[in-house]
Amino acid sequence: MPVDYSLFGGAESLPEGQRPQRAPRRVYKPEEYATDAEVAKHAYKHVAPPQDPKDFLWLMTEEPHRSRRQAIMKAHPEVTKLMGHEPFTKYVVLFVVTLQISLAVMLRHHSPLSPLFILTAYAIGGTANHNLFLAIHEITHNLAFPGIAPNKLLAIFANLPIGIPYSAAFKQYHIEHHKFMGQDGIDTDLPTRLELICLNNVLGKVFFATFQILFYALRPTFVRAQTLTRWHLLNLVVQLVFDWVLVTNLGIRPLIYLIMSSFFAGSLHPCAGHFIAEHYLWDGLEQETYSYYGPLNVLAYNVGYHNEHHDFPSIPWTRLPALRKLAPEFYDNIPSHPSWPMVIVNFIRDREVGIFARAKRLGKGRAIEVAGCQKVEHVDDSGYNTANLSAEEDSDKSE
């Protein structure tokens, strides 16, 4: 049986991945009954030459999730049963917040430069705070409680161990990322032209991958400023009071631990590979969203099921695997990533991938034709329950 080198993430310069030709950075699910030779040939098929590294990939079509969502709704109308909030989320948040605060307190007598402090902040704290990043992502879609206000309050609570207030601002930016994916000047998940100019080399990519969290935190303020609401103010006040109480009673080291954990969570951390894996382009393909179905999803609210999440943002993390199982004909034929850590390695080492490897569009673009597509009345173009989204928009406008 031939070795499937794509399982090494395509790092062809490593001994176990050396190959004379381009190595794909994603995998296909093997066709049923296919021979080993057919599987190997299919896995290494490249459908396009490398992308031009001097510019982003500009597309005229709309983002792919709306059309696929409508096709799935027609083929599997029972998908609506998967939508709704997940009560278990709040208990996971409570556990992780308690864990992080407890560790911060226990480390108050250790130097921030000690191996124990740094290792704990990276291995446990980085993983825990990354989990809280994705808890806030989940809560942003109103998937922890039926109502809007309880979700926003839980997001502010989940924000506490992160040390810096961001949950309220993230909500608006992330909803725009879903509704206007790839639109230049609106989707703040996209790198800017300045980033392309300054970071389009190996050292630049190392810098970007190391300080991802700062790019995602600061870029939105330069691209698209928000109108502040009472939720922004509440998030800020609650976080500052929490930080002040922590420092006043226990010293600065617990807060250093929490902020260090947040930095590691968005840096060269195994879980942080999902930031790059989700929407960067690979292998000359025009595929804008990639999923990952590996074990790290257990720590990350199944955010690896990213095509599934963008198709149906109102399906909670616990039911995304069920969505893929319900509609395998729509998902099993989409290339996916086998490893988040190797995504970071490939992003840095591979000349075919870089800051330029993102799809952009000036507007929503023309519709994509998908077999079986039809308009679905009870789910809007963003994949949300229409009544729930309208209530949220009305609430935000009133602020």
Side-chain angles (χ1 to χ4, degrees):
M1 179 177 178
V3 176
D4 185 355
Y5 286 96
S6 64
L7 296 178
F8 297 111
E12 71 280 359
S13 61
L14 300 180
E16 67 270 26
Q18 289 180 355
R19 292 184 63 87
Q21 70 269 36
R22 293 166 62 199
R25 271 52 175 164
R26 72 291 181 274
V27 294
Y28 292 92
K29 181 176 180 179
E31 298 289 343
E32 190 173 9
Y33 306 120
T35 66
D36 291 341
E38 290 172 338
V39 171
K41 181 179 179 181
H42 187 51
Y44 289 105
K45 181 180 179 181
H46 286 83
V47 298
Q51 185 186 334
D52 180 2
K54 296 183 178 63
D55 197 4
F56 302 104
L57 178 65
W58 293 88
L59 299 178
M60 300 295 290
T61 55
E62 69 175 1
E63 55 86 15
H65 301 287
R66 174 180 177 274
S67 53
R68 185 162 60 238
R69 173 167 52 251
Q70 292 181 338
I72 291 174
M73 288 293 297
K74 180 180 180 181
H76 302 282
E78 66 273 23
V79 71
T80 56
K81 296 179 181 178
L82 298 176
M83 300 177 184
H85 72 286
E86 172 52 71
F88 184 56
T89 299
K90 58 181 177 289
Y91 299 112
V92 178
V93 170
L94 177 61
F95 170 77
V96 178
V97 169
T98 303
L99 171 66
Q100 274 295 80
I101 294 176
S102 299
L103 287 173
V105 173
M106 288 189 287
L107 288 171
R108 68 188 185 278
H109 299 305
H110 295 268
S111 169
L113 299 179
S114 67
L116 176 63
F117 197 102
I118 295 174
L119 181 61
T120 303
Y122 180 85
I124 302 179
T127 305
N129 274 16
H130 198 95
N131 178 273
L132 291 174
F133 289 161
L134 295 170
I136 291 172
H137 165 261
E138 186 77 7
I139 298 163
T140 284
H141 291 289
N142 294 333
L143 295 178
F145 295 99
I148 296 168
N151 281 287
K152 291 186 175 182
L153 290 173
L154 182 62
I156 292 173
F157 174 72
N159 198 151
L160 294 180
I162 293 171
I164 299 172
Y166 90 102
S167 65
F170 173 79
K171 180 177 179 66
Q172 182 175 332
Y173 285 127
H174 187 68
I175 297 303
E176 289 177 342
H177 166 63
H178 274 265
K179 297 185 70 174
F180 305 100
M181 193 179 90
Q183 290 193 45
D184 193 36
I186 299 179
D187 184 358
T188 58
D189 188 73
L190 294 164
T192 62
R193 170 65 60 175
L194 181 62
E195 292 171 63
L196 175 63
I197 294 172
C198 298
L199 304 175
N200 206 18
N201 51 65
V202 173
L203 290 179
K205 290 190 288 184
V206 170
F207 183 84
F208 177 82
T210 304
F211 297 96
Q212 287 183 78
I213 190 67
L214 298 182
F215 283 91
Y216 285 105
L218 298 177
R219 181 193 299 146
T221 62
F222 293 99
V223 174
R224 187 174 175 83
Q226 289 187 3
T227 300
L228 300 182
T229 69
R230 62 182 179 181
W231 290 104
H232 291 80
L233 180 60
L234 181 61
N235 185 197
L236 175 65
V237 170
V238 170
Q239 189 66 54
L240 290 179
V241 169
F242 172 80
D243 293 348
W244 178 80
V245 170
L246 198 64
V247 172
T248 301
N249 291 277
L250 300 172
I252 192 66
R253 289 178 179 178
L255 183 59
I256 291 176
Y257 166 78
L258 295 178
I259 294 179
M260 187 182 293
S261 297
S262 296
F263 170 75
F264 285 141
S267 183
L268 300 176
H269 189 281
C271 291
H274 85 82
F275 289 125
I276 296 173
E278 289 168 357
H279 296 296
Y280 276 79
L281 306 176
W282 303 82
D283 299 326
L285 301 174
E286 294 185 1
Q287 181 178 326
E288 296 177 66
T289 305
Y290 282 82
S291 291
Y292 157 79
Y293 301 115
L296 290 179
N297 277 303
V298 174
L299 304 173
Y301 284 89
N302 280 332
V303 75
Y305 288 76
H306 215 64
N307 273 296
E308 293 82 350
H309 169 65
H310 268 268
D311 289 348
F312 292 94
S314 54
I315 294 180
W317 61 284
T318 53
R319 299 172 213 154
L320 289 175
L323 170 60
R324 184 192 180 201
K325 184 177 180 180
L326 176 68
E329 71 275 23
F330 289 95
Y331 293 116
D332 286 353
N333 60 353
I334 302 177
S336 60
H337 286 296
S339 167
W340 277 343
M342 286 309 301
V343 163
I344 299 177
V345 173
N346 292 329
F347 176 77
I348 293 173
R349 297 164 65 95
D350 191 346
R351 290 179 296 177
E352 293 185 15
V353 183
I355 302 299
F356 61 90
R358 290 296 300 264
K360 286 192 176 186
R361 47 180 60 83
L362 295 176
K364 285 199 170 183
R366 65 175 182 269
I368 300 174
E369 295 294 331
V370 175
C373 180
Q374 71 170 11
K375 185 175 178 60
V376 180
E377 298 297 336
H378 54 287
V379 175
D380 85 332
D381 286 345
S382 296
Y384 296 88
N385 179 284
T386 303
N388 187 41
L389 182 61
S390 299
E392 179 170 351
E393 289 176 339
D394 290 342
S395 173
D396 289 340
K397 290 176 181 177
S398 68
E399 294 166 354

